[in-house]
Amino acid sequence: MNKQYQGSETSTEIENVSKSTQGSFPGLIIREKEPANYEYPFPMLDDFITPDNQFFVRTHFPVPDISSKDWKLTITGEIENEFSINYHELKMLPSKTVVATLECAGNGRANMVPKMKGLLWEQGAVGNAKWTGVPLSVLLKKAGIKSDAVEVILEGADKGAITEEPKSPGEIHFARSLTLTKALQEEVLIAYQMNGKDLTPIHGYPVRAIVPGWYGMASVKWLIKIIVVNKPFDGYWQTLEYAYWSRPDGHPSLKPVSEVQVKAQIARPALSELIEKGTTYTITGAAWSGEKAIEKVEISINEGKSWEVVDLTSQPMPHSWVLWEYNWQVPIKQSKYKLMVKATDCAGNTQPSEHDADRRTYMINKIIKHEVEVQ
Amino acid sequence: MNKQYQGSETSTEIENVSKSTQGSFPGLIIREKEPANYEYPFPMLDDFITPDNQFFVRTHFPVPDISSKDWKLTITGEIENEFSINYHELKMLPSKTVVATLECAGNGRANMVPKMKGLLWEQGAVGNAKWTGVPLSVLLKKAGIKSDAVEVILEGADKGAITEEPKSPGEIHFARSLTLTKALQEEVLIAYQMNGKDLTPIHGYPVRAIVPGWYGMASVKWLIKIIVVNKPFDGYWQTLEYAYWSRPDGHPSLKPVSEVQVKAQIARPALSELIEKGTTYTITGAAWSGEKAIEKVEISINEGKSWEVVDLTSQPMPHSWVLWEYNWQVPIKQSKYKLMVKATDCAGNTQPSEHDADRRTYMINKIIKHEVEVQ
């Protein structure tokens, strides 16, 4: 851990392994114990690849207990050849490894005013890992997609009933659809490894989807079924949850949350960290965007009056975050300073100054003021 | 009013005109004052055609104040020729008159156990009227629909913000879409008359849609815009409200409530009405189904052990209710009796014995036990 890291998360204590219900997650912040929703303390960021036991956890139901021997994946719907594949057979197929950042669609929700509904993630519902598996496109080609197919539903083994409003229709499996276009992109994986090791139970063992460029809810864990459909899927987690308002026809219409929005985050200094006046402080962080590589990250020390470009310390590439740093000549004047960062991707997408209410409590990437104290 | 009618609604007093905020509605039951939601006391049913001042009222926002001079309707979207039409021009076009039953998708909600969310309509959120206007298909043909069009959005002038969950995305106009197939059916009207007179403000003056066979929410009042679209519309009132769960792919998927489900209702005796033992009592009521004419209505006096077919006293036809009656030889035995009725339409659709939870609080047509007291 960087010695400059002195801060701690403000709203929730970092709980240790003994309090965790789901094995070994030293240092993860528990946002909800059951089902497991654990946050990475983002000020700890040092490495380009997030270790699996520090990777944030988002679950909707209890973690299913599936052995690789019993697991199988069924492909059905608008296809020519319905089939099932077991774990051994899947691992025999040609594999691909991708580096992909997964971010929860509600990451940053805790920073919104007024308080929003939903899990109050601060900055740490994001992580970057190496994922290995079989491209979904390989399985879809084997299945033979019919010409009227438009989407692909990914179904997890995790299930349950949501009894608070908005209620689920009884007990349902977690499921999410991809557009056929996205499903056929070669980086979309049916993955069985994270950072070169078998997935852990909480991250989807034995097999999960990895959908680089889309928010985490699309990377369905404990994947057991793929259904090709000829109509857009209006499932629970893309209408009632993980949906936002778009206005293509002048009317608000609910659309499934999908592509990750461009965003930069400061790791250090932590929020409210004390910084010694007149020193040089290396501000660090990460930045990412959905389908595009990051082009630049800028920082402002004076609340947006002027911006400076920071150094990128890892190679920008699509689907993965980039690390960055900036050597700050800390002023002599003792005061609170509000640091602001913004990222721009190579398609010119950048961050808004306000959260668009049509996004509801998702896709939160407005530029925030990160307050620190110089003494 | 039939002299046998002695009952009254149990949960809400019938309020008179002086209490109404929306003009002259003698005898309508106020379920909500503002916005106006008024129910027809169904035990008063005598006539095949419901007078306009007894017709139930369902509004989501304050009634817009529009003069026929200012009104115009704009047709836009996936069409060859965008145009607007004013009230005078609309009335010059060839018109059509249809008899259509409108039923609120939540009619009968008050009878559900446990209590459901939403306006607690008893039996009277239904009425049958004669509607005159220009077929929507005439306007769509004039506009020239593009080949990729799939739906037609109907937008009302009524608007506002819903600030309770599920929240609307700020202030929005009431809007609902029809499938293109339905929109092109000749009975779907852009209507300016109800029962041979101009619409009243609360029923959509100057112009509303009438969508026979679909629940009332599709018959958009104060119609000002028609938008032809090439993707299914996921607007507020067909995803968050007025939507139900269907499971075409084995997964629950939200679908817009549309076609009216077959249903029979008893008008008299009213609920809990006292009936003299040993007499003949004429049980009356109505029955309707979405796109199909009613074929038969059956009644059971013994809680479903045996059923008898009742007499239909009006001509069965699609989109309209049929009136029915049955001469009951009231037993000598003093007791409570549970009357049950069920309708079957000419496509063989009939009523279920239980409400399917996937319908949420809509499309309520389960067979109910209508309790009366023989003394």
Side-chain angles (χ1 to χ4, degrees), chain B residues 9 65 78 82 87 89 113 137 158-159 199 265 287 354:
Chain B
E9 295 294 327
D65 181 18
E78 301 296 313
E82 181 166 325
Y87 189 68
E89 291 163 343
V113 178
S137 61
D158 49 331
K159 61 178 178 175
L199 294 172
Q265 285 186 174
E354 292 303 330

Side-chain angles (χ1 to χ4, degrees), chain B residues 11-36:
Chain B
S11 65
T12 310
E13 228 183 319
I14 295 179
E15 309 213 17
N16 65 25
V17 56
S18 68
K19 291 192 185 173
S20 162
T21 57
Q22 297 290 352
S24 178
F25 302 98
L28 283 187
I29 304 160
I30 296 183
R31 295 274 168 232
E32 185 176 24
K33 279 215 169 181
E34 190 58 46

Side-chain angles (χ1 to χ4, degrees), chain A residues 62-235:
Chain A
V63 173
D65 181 18
I66 312 173
S67 82
S68 59
K69 282 204 189 78
D70 296 334
W71 179 86
K72 65 171 186 170
L73 176 65
T74 301
I75 302 177
T76 181
E78 300 298 311
I79 54 173
E80 301 297 341
N81 319 298
E82 181 166 327
F83 68 94
S84 292
I85 186 169
N86 67 27
Y87 189 69
H88 178 73
E89 291 162 343
L90 184 76
K91 284 192 135 176
M92 290 297 103
L93 292 174
S95 73
K96 190 175 160 76
T97 296
V98 301
V99 174
T101 296
L102 295 190
E103 183 187 14
C104 176
N107 189 38
R109 193 179 284 144
N111 304 315
M112 303 299 293
V113 179
K115 271 277 182 281
M116 286 176 157
K117 219 176 133 251
L119 288 167
L120 293 180
W121 301 108
E122 294 184 352
Q123 296 192 109
V126 62
N128 194 52
K130 254 188 342 190
W131 309 95
T132 302
V134 177
L136 172 56
S137 60
V138 169
L139 298 182
L140 291 175
K141 277 166 197 159
K142 183 165 143 70
I145 302 165
K146 289 189 180 167
S147 62
D148 61 347
V150 295
E151 289 193 357
V152 176
I153 303 174
L154 305 175
E155 177 188 314
D158 49 329
K159 62 178 178 174
I162 296 164
T163 53
E164 287 169 27
E165 294 289 346
K167 286 178 189 163
S168 64
E171 190 167 90
I172 56 178
H173 284 255
F174 185 80
R176 232 336 179 118
S177 75
L178 306 180
T179 57
L180 189 58
T181 309
K182 182 67 188 175
L184 291 174
Q185 283 177 12
E186 58 172 10
E187 73 273 10
V188 176
L189 299 184
I190 306 306
Y192 46 79
Q193 283 193 342
M194 177 181 190
N195 297 337
K197 292 178 295 185
D198 287 352
L199 295 171
T200 56
I202 207 156
H203 289 301
Y205 182 83
V207 174
R208 67 177 297 174
I210 290 295
V211 184
W214 284 30
Y215 283 105
M217 78 277 127
S219 292
V220 175
K221 295 190 274 192
W222 313 292
L223 187 71
I224 54 171
K225 203 184 271 185
I226 294 172
I227 310 160
V228 179
V229 291
N230 59 12
K231 285 186 188 152
F233 179 52
D234 281 321

Side-chain angles (χ1 to χ4, degrees), chain A residues 155 169 234 247 251-254, chain B residues 155 169 172 234 247 251 253-254:
Chain A
E155 177 188 314
D234 281 321
R247 303 183 188 244
H251 278 276
S253 180
L254 276 181
Chain B
E155 177 188 314
I172 56 177
D234 279 320
R247 303 182 188 244
H251 279 278
S253 182
L254 277 180

Side-chain angles (χ1 to χ4, degrees), chain B residues 7 29 35 40 51-52 82 92 113 142 175 195 297 316 320 327 351 357:
Chain B
I29 304 160
Y40 173 56
D52 73 277
E82 181 166 325
M92 290 298 101
V113 178
K142 184 164 142 70
N195 297 338
V297 177
S320 161
N327 288 320
Q351 298 181 238

